[in-house]
Amino acid sequence: MSYSDKVLDHYSNPRNVGSMDKSSQDVGTGLVGAPECGDVMKLQIKVNPQTSVIEDAKFKTFGCGSAIASSSLATEWVKGKTVEEALQIKNTEIVKELSLPPVKIHCSVLAEDAIRAAIHDWKKKNGVEAKAPATAEAHQ
Amino acid sequence: MPGEATSTCWSCGTMRAVHFCSACGKVQPPVPADYFTFFALPRKLSLDTALLEREFYVLSRKLHPDVYAQSQPQEQEWSMEQSSLLNDAYRTLKDPIKRTEYLLRLEGVELEEQSKTATEKARATGEVKKQVVPPDLLEEVFELNMQLEELRMQKKMGEDDPALVEELRKHKSNLEEKYEALLAELKGHWNQWDKLVDSGSEDDRIKVRNQMLDLLNRRNYIRNLVRDVNEALEN
């Protein structure tokens, strides 16, 4: 399988690799994984408490090129957005931007999950209202 | 019931069983059937593999294309198709993990599709998606990957860090223990499932099905991790 130019670009030159202090009040951390391929993805955001704007984002992904590119792109896209805006990012947009083939769609789903998990973590830390977890939804 | 006559024999017209006509004994064209049905088994997970093996050898001899060397071309073709189905079915059912994975697929588990749907639901409702991999295992996977990266880096630089290697070895043996324990746990779920096949509600079956899926997911994760540790230690 060959990667698209954009995947290769993110893969060989990933944006925003790194980590932030997990315990910091304005940092939200999302850690997600795909059991099919064994990928694991960590995405962190730093949110301005006054404006709810995501001022910085970092990621570290262990996985295939598509998973790395998806999370790299995700950090680029969330930066400068408010958390509510970032929650609207769709995996299909990541697929389109990176021209991911069908077998790699789960990488984009993982990246969306990572964004949502990071935002959820930040909201929980800061007492921002979030709905109760929908348990077992992942299997229904 | 699987194995019962489902249609008539192409040759003598008698109602036939799955592989051979019950009256004239002629080989039959393969019918679309799952592997359990192919062996006339219920969709249960506790399986007498010795019995399965015997059945496999019996069918294997009877369906072997050599037996049909003098038969009509159509029969030769059917015996080939049936033989190949037989091999696939046997290979899948004799292995405990493949058997469970196969059953879960039959029972409508589509991992990627379900994960995508759950993500879309989370986006639409603002609810939190439940991850299929438990957080503590994810942490462990992440940390171990960080250590592996460090080890690869050190090796590249020609450095040696016996403490890190020792730590990874310990970690690996812990994972291997977990891996074995998960198989034992999975087998416990087989019994629950098998009981529910005969008498159980759809909801109960889905519950056990999803528990088995969780276990398999965790097991796959650990398997990949052990493989990566081995690679990093050997290279």
Side-chain angles (χ1 to χ4, degrees):
Chain A
M1 191 198 62
S2 63
Y3 287 123
S4 71
D5 289 346
K6 278 187 178 154
V7 170
L8 286 174
D9 179 35
H10 277 278
Y11 180 69
S12 48
N13 180 24
R15 329 303 195 248
N16 310 310
V17 173
S19 70
M20 301 182 200
D21 179 9
K22 211 176 137 177
S23 57
S24 172
Q25 187 69 23
D26 53 359
V27 169
T29 302
L31 183 62
V32 295
E36 308 91 301
C37 50
D39 287 359
V40 55
M41 192 180 277
K42 185 181 192 171
L43 192 146
Q44 293 182 297
I45 51 169
K46 187 168 182 266
V47 184
N48 183 313
Q50 267 84 47
T51 59
S52 295
V53 168
I54 298 171
E55 292 182 332
D56 199 8
K58 295 276 179 213
F59 86 96
K60 179 78 194 167
T61 293
F62 296 102
C64 68
S66 301
I68 291 167
S70 295
S71 37
S72 171
L73 180 66
T75 55
E76 275 196 324
W77 277 0
V78 297
K79 269 208 242 180
K81 286 192 166 74
T82 66
V83 290
E84 292 311 318
E85 284 165 351
L87 284 171
Q88 298 310 313
I89 293 172
K90 295 187 179 79
N91 67 77
T92 46
E93 295 165 339
I94 297 174
V95 171
K96 210 172 149 195
E97 175 69 17
L98 296 174
S99 314
L100 295 179
V103 292
K104 292 293 180 184
I105 286 174
H106 67 270
C107 299
S108 71
V109 174
L110 204 56
E112 185 184 336
D113 287 349
I115 297 173
R116 315 187 76 79
I119 292 174
H120 175 68
D121 182 53
W122 174 80
K123 281 188 171 177
K124 216 168 76 182
K125 243 187 217 174
N126 289 276
V128 181
E129 175 256 345
K131 288 183 189 172
T135 46
E137 284 304 329
H139 295 319
Q140 295 302 310
Chain B
M1 252 311 278
E4 269 178 23
T6 47
S7 56
T8 51
C9 171
W10 61 272
S11 177
C12 73
T14 308
M15 288 297 284
R16 65 175 177 87
V18 174
H19 315 292
F20 307 97
C21 175
S22 49
C24 72
K26 293 248 189 199
V27 68
Q28 301 294 317
V31 286
D34 66 75
Y35 295 158
F36 290 96
T37 309
F38 190 91
F39 277 106
L41 290 166
R43 277 192 197 178
K44 292 186 180 177
L45 289 166
S46 302
L47 199 141
D48 183 344
T49 45
L51 202 70
L52 181 78
E53 192 183 18
R54 278 203 294 280
E55 182 71 359
F56 167 73
Y57 283 122
V58 169
L59 278 174
S60 184
R61 271 195 298 275
K62 284 168 80 175
L63 285 169
H64 200 280
D66 287 354
V67 178
Y68 297 90
Q70 307 302 322
S71 309
Q72 297 177 31
Q74 190 60 266
E75 285 176 83
Q76 291 178 15
E77 203 177 297
W78 290 334
S79 85
M80 260 186 359
E81 286 172 21
Q82 292 267 30
S83 293
S84 126
L85 245 169
L86 173 70
N87 286 328
D88 291 345
Y90 177 62
R91 264 200 299 270
T92 304
L93 293 186
K94 77 169 175 183
D95 180 89
I97 297 300
K98 283 189 188 145
R99 177 161 76 238
T100 311
E101 285 174 339
Y102 180 72
L103 179 97
L104 293 182
R105 272 207 302 283
L106 285 181
E107 293 294 326
V109 169
E110 286 172 58
L111 215 49
E112 280 190 23
E113 204 40 53
Q114 279 162 357
S115 171
K116 196 158 166 270
T117 308
T119 297
E120 270 149 22
K121 191 170 178 208
R123 193 195 310 127
T125 61
E127 288 170 352
V128 178
K129 175 180 170 178
K130 179 184 171 269
Q131 287 293 316
V132 290
V133 186
D136 56 330
L137 178 59
L138 275 179
E139 289 284 349
E140 195 180 349
V141 174
F142 192 85
E143 284 312 314
L144 193 62
N145 269 299
M146 290 294 276
Q147 289 181 330
L148 288 177
E149 195 173 71
E150 204 187 321
L151 181 74
R152 287 190 203 107
M153 204 83 103
Q154 285 175 354
K155 286 198 169 179
K156 222 172 167 180
M157 311 283 285
E159 288 167 16
D160 194 25
D161 186 349
L164 181 61
V165 170
E166 185 51 35
E167 203 179 323
L168 280 168
R169 279 193 205 285
K170 259 192 210 146
H171 211 131
K172 195 188 94 172
S173 64
N174 280 341
L175 285 171
E176 281 167 340
E177 270 171 38
K178 263 191 203 167
Y179 189 70
E180 291 309 315
L182 281 169
L183 181 61
E185 208 180 322
L186 187 65
K187 286 182 174 169
H189 282 72
W190 286 0
N191 296 332
Q192 286 185 43
W193 171 264
D194 292 352
K195 277 186 205 129
L196 291 170
V197 169
D198 298 325
S199 60
S201 70
E202 181 74 13
D203 283 353
D204 287 342
R205 275 197 292 273
I206 289 175
K207 204 175 132 213
V208 176
R209 184 196 76 182
N210 287 343
Q211 285 167 346
M212 289 195 284
L213 182 61
D214 269 352
L215 290 173
L216 280 176
N217 279 336
R218 271 150 64 186
R219 200 167 175 275
N220 284 346
Y221 237 118
I222 293 175
R223 186 198 54 209
N224 289 342
L225 212 48
V226 169
R227 182 202 58 205
D228 290 347
V229 176
N230 280 333
E231 271 174 20
L233 287 174
E234 279 160 23
N235 286 332

